[in-house]
């Protein structure tokens, strides 16, 4: 086994705490297919083939179809798969916590994430006598550092990715300069990304930034949130652009998810959504150094 | 040819015409961004180190390394002459050998790493035997093994030995650390 029995107990309490939070908030827990005909087309994210299907890299598209069908608050806890990702913070199979809420945006999701983490951490850490647990709990309940991507790059990396975007430099500086310099001992949020990093986030009206944020705890990326893109024409354009990028990088190009596009044509309500790496959350709350310590098995 | 996804601890790659070995390796993928492979590298010739980050589309050549077993023959000035199985002579400098040069015995078989046909690293058998050519006598009856004194082997190389070791004794030396391991023969 990879994790200790004590860690599996900790992880189980954290799972329960998350479910308890969403139940109290009036959310519906959903389960969507793991084997997909049409995984999301995103640059740098590759799906693991499974027969004539692929394993999901994210439950995002099916969950959006449920929103469009009428459920306003949904969450899902389940496995996701990403081909070729392995490291102390990556594993090709991991547990994703993903939730969506209509009638809100990325700021609303940020408030909700704060409340979720304070609640869940209290449930799993309140009885701990360790000093770090007390400090972390306090930090999660206090104000989080919310830092604009533009300011962080301008101040620390010496360039403004909003005035001339360079994707390679953006990623290298993110890993080598921005992430290592994020505040430690408290949650930090990088907010408002260049439009080139919008993924499936809405672009702010009259603005040049994507309504997206990422949560870090102790420099480790935990979650990624959007004001979700709801415009089907813009969604088609981005999927097409992603397919073009994947093709030129000699990555697999998947068929279009026509069901998602049809649901968006019918109407996807304004909503905010977030994907949170459950294993990494368990890792930072338990103060582990590697995913190995919080995953029951590593294949 | 390697791609960045082949990078891992221990892999040897050629960068700017030099052989490097990866001593530390981390895989990072910033949210929605590309994979970044950060390596701590050690130059296999000079021993200097550097840290570099690579993107997944970068490619690497394996260094032209070859490992051969050679037998040590004799010293010649600052160089040391080795012989291959065809009795061809190979000259290896004191600089490449480092302290290993003090542990060579005639006829000992060493594993020699070549880069572009130049020897860059010599690995001796783990243990070799050497005679102590000078050491002060230890106090009579002192058989403690945890108290050490200096002793010289051929080439005036100094090692630390237990007090009971005497001049003329033959001792076993661990070539990885250059430290005394055992006494083989009492003078």
């Amino acid at each position: 086994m990879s994790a200790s029995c004590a860690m599996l107990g900790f992880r189980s309490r954290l799972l329960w705490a998350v479910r308890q939070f969403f139940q109290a908030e009036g959310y519906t827990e959903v389960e969507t297919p793991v084997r997909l005909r049409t995984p999301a087309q995103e640059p740098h994210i590759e799906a693991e083939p499974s027969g004539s299907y692929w394993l999901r890299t994210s439950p995002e598209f099916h969950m959006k179809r449920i929103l469009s069908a009428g459920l306003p608050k949904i969450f899902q806890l389940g496995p996701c798969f990403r081909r070729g990702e392995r490291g102390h913070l990556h594993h090709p199979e991991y547990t994703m916590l993903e939730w969506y809420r209509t009638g809100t945006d990325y700021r609303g999701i940020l408030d909700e994430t704060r409340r979720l983490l304070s609640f869940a951490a209290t449930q799993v850490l309140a009885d701990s006598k360790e000093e770090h647990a007390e400090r972390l709990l306090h930090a999660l309940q206090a104000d989080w550092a919310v830092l604009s991507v533009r300011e962080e790059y301008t101040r620390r990396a010496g360039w403004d990715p909003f005035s001339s975007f360079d994707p390679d430099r953006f990623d290298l500086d993110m890993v080598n300069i921005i992430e290592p310099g994020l505040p430690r001992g408290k949650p930090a949020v990088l907010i408002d990304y260049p439009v080139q990093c919008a993924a499936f986030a809405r672009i702010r009206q009259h603005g040049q930034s994507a309504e997206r944020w990422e949560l870090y705890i102790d420099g480790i990326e935990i979650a990624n949130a959007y004001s979700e893109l709801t415009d089907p024409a813009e969604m088609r354009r981005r999927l097409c652009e992603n397919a073009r990028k994947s093709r030129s990088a000699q990555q697999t190009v998947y068929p279009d998810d026509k069901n998602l596009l049809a649901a968006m044509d019918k109407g996807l309500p304004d909503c905010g959504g977030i994907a949170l790496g459950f294993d990494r959350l368990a890792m930072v709350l338990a103060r582990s150094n590697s995913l190995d310590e919080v995953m029951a098995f590593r294949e | 040819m390697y791609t960045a996804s082949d990078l891992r601890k221990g892999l040897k790659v050629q960068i700017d015409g030099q052989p490097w070995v990866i001593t530390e390796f981390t895989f990072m993928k910033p949210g929605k961004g590309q994979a970044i492979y950060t390596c701590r590298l050690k130059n296999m010739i000079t021993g200097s180190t550097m840290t570099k980050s690579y993107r997944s589309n970068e490619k690497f050549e394996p260094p032209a390394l070859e490992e051969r077993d050679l037998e040590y023959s004799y010293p010649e000035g600052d160089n040391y002459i080795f012989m291959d199985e065809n009795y061809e002579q190979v000259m290896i400098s004191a600089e490449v050998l480092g302290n290993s040069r003090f542990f060579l015995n005639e006829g000992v078989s060493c594993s020699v790493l070549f880069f572009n046909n130049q020897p860059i690293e010599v690995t001796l058998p783990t243990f070799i035997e050497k005679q102590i050519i000078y050491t002060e006598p230890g106090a009579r009856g002192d058989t403690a093994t945890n108290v050490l004194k200096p002793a010289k082997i051929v080439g005036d190389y100094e090692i630390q030995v237990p007090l009971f070791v005497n001049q003329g004794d033959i001792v076993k030396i661990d070539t990885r650390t250059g430290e005394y391991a055992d006494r083989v023969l009492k003078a």
Side-chain angles (χ1 to χ4, degrees):
Chain A
M1 225 166 64
S2 185
S4 66
C5 290
M7 186 61 80
L8 293 187
F10 180 87
R11 198 180 155 113
S12 169
R13 290 201 302 282
L14 186 59
L15 282 166
W16 280 103
V18 166
R19 290 201 158 98
Q20 217 180 321
F21 174 84
F22 283 112
Q23 191 181 34
E25 294 285 325
Y27 272 76
T28 304
E29 179 165 6
V30 297
E31 292 156 291
T32 61
V34 172
R35 288 165 75 240
L36 312 180
R37 292 272 189 206
T38 56
Q41 189 81 53
E42 293 192 78
H44 316 305
I45 297 180
E46 287 201 81
E48 197 75 64
S50 168
S52 56
Y53 291 71
W54 281 276
L55 299 178
R56 68 179 180 192
T57 55
S58 146
E60 181 166 355
F61 287 3
H62 278 100
M63 290 182 79
K64 286 180 176 169
R65 284 165 66 188
I66 295 177
L67 293 174
S68 150
L71 274 180
K73 293 171 164 185
I74 53 174
F75 81 99
Q76 177 160 204
L77 263 166
C80 286
F81 304 82
R82 292 188 181 181
R83 192 175 187 183
E85 299 194 8
R86 191 179 280 277
H88 73 294
L89 296 177
H90 294 83
H91 193 260
E93 173 177 354
Y94 62 102
T95 301
M96 190 84 104
L97 165 62
E98 190 142 335
W99 77 93
Y100 293 87
R101 180 180 191 138
T102 59
T104 193
D105 63 3
Y106 72 147
R107 294 268 177 191
I109 295 289
L110 181 53
D111 288 338
E112 200 165 38
T113 306
R114 278 200 191 104
R115 285 189 292 114
L116 166 70
L117 292 202
S118 301
F119 174 80
T122 307
Q123 297 296 303
V124 297
L125 295 179
D127 293 338
S128 169
K129 286 171 183 60
E130 286 180 53
E131 200 184 318
H132 96 267
E134 214 169 290
R135 263 205 314 270
L136 185 58
L137 201 51
H138 180 76
L140 285 168
Q141 290 161 345
D143 274 346
W144 294 7
V146 179
L147 309 162
S148 105
V149 170
R150 181 175 216 159
E151 274 173 37
E152 287 300 294
Y153 271 81
T154 310
R155 191 166 59 82
R156 298 205 279 122
W159 67 293
D160 178 4
F162 286 74
S163 61
S164 66
F165 187 73
D166 175 341
D168 290 344
R169 190 175 177 194
F170 189 83
D171 288 343
L172 276 171
D173 285 356
M174 179 62 88
V175 165
N176 290 329
I177 301 170
I178 305 298
E179 289 182 353
L182 289 173
R184 301 289 151 137
K186 65 172 173 181
V189 171
L190 282 178
I191 197 164
D192 295 331
Y193 280 69
V195 292
Q196 294 85 348
C197 303
F200 301 125
R202 183 172 77 191
I203 305 297
R204 174 169 306 143
Q205 268 186 329
H206 315 299
Q208 281 311 304
S209 66
E211 293 192 345
R212 169 183 165 199
W213 57 261
E214 292 243 8
L215 167 65
Y216 291 81
I217 300 177
D218 283 339
I220 295 170
E221 183 197 336
I222 303 290
N224 176 43
Y226 306 144
S227 300
E228 298 293 343
L229 175 64
T230 54
D231 173 1
E234 173 65 7
M235 187 62 159
R236 281 189 175 86
R237 198 195 62 74
R238 289 200 203 167
L239 286 173
C240 187
E241 173 66 12
N242 288 354
R244 189 192 63 74
K245 283 184 186 158
S246 294
R247 199 172 291 119
S248 72
Q250 288 166 346
Q251 288 167 351
T252 316
V253 176
Y254 312 112
D256 280 344
D257 188 338
K258 297 206 166 60
N259 291 317
L260 171 75
L261 293 167
M264 289 180 74
D265 284 336
K266 240 178 75 191
L268 175 62
D270 276 345
C271 57
I274 175 167
L276 182 151
F278 181 82
D279 312 88
R280 288 195 189 171
L281 177 63
M283 195 181 131
V284 296
L285 292 182
R287 215 188 182 196
S288 305
N289 292 317
S290 165
L291 286 181
D292 291 352
E293 294 175 36
V294 298
M295 298 180 92
F297 298 98
R298 297 202 73 177
E299 293 293 321
Chain B
M1 186 80 101
Y2 300 121
T3 64
S5 57
D6 296 317
L7 298 177
R8 63 185 183 278
K9 200 170 159 178
L11 188 78
K12 293 162 181 140
V13 293
Q14 183 164 314
I15 302 166
D16 299 331
Q18 296 269 303
W20 296 80
V21 59
I22 299 172
T23 54
E24 280 168 54
F25 171 75
T26 51
F27 170 87
M28 285 299 289
K29 205 168 177 198
K32 303 289 173 192
Q34 58 193 311
I36 305 288
Y37 303 82
T38 302
C39 301
R40 183 101 184 129
L41 297 135
K42 186 174 166 214
N43 187 305
M44 295 176 69
I45 297 174
T46 64
S48 65
T49 59
M50 65 175 179
T51 301
K52 282 198 95 154
S53 294
Y54 298 101
R55 292 175 290 111
S56 48
N57 56 359
E58 296 190 61
K59 297 201 164 30
F60 305 85
E61 291 287 346
L65 294 169
E66 186 199 0
E67 207 167 275
R68 285 159 61 194
D69 285 335
L70 300 183
E71 201 169 277
Y72 172 64
S73 276
Y74 58 93
E76 194 180 84
D78 275 346
N79 295 309
Y80 295 79
I81 308 299
F82 288 71
M83 208 84 86
D84 70 9
E85 68 276 11
N86 303 320
Y87 303 102
E88 292 284 333
Q89 288 192 349
V90 176
M91 193 187 275
I92 302 182
S93 69
E95 196 190 336
V96 167
L97 278 157
N99 280 345
S100 291
R101 69 187 187 276
F102 297 111
F103 308 138
L104 291 168
N105 285 330
E106 193 188 326
V108 76
S109 176
C110 301
S111 165
V112 181
L113 189 65
F114 291 83
F115 173 65
N116 288 337
N117 297 318
Q118 289 299 309
I120 60 167
E121 193 184 291
V122 180
T123 309
L124 272 61
T126 309
F127 295 105
I128 54 99
E129 292 175 4
K130 281 283 178 189
Q131 189 166 35
I132 301 296
I133 57 160
Y134 178 77
T135 187
E136 296 285 345
R140 183 180 293 273
D142 197 339
T143 56
T145 51
N146 55 349
V147 183
L148 301 173
K149 62 174 182 178
K152 281 182 176 167
I153 61 172
V154 179
D156 274 351
Y157 184 75
E158 197 172 278
I159 58 170
Q160 296 293 317
V161 299
L163 296 180
F164 61 77
V165 171
N166 295 314
Q167 201 162 303
D169 286 358
I170 295 190
V171 298
K172 198 186 260 185
I173 296 171
D174 186 330
T175 60
R176 296 165 302 185
T177 57
E179 286 172 6
Y180 167 92
D182 202 2
R183 178 163 67 178
V184 184
L185 197 69
K186 220 171 152 211

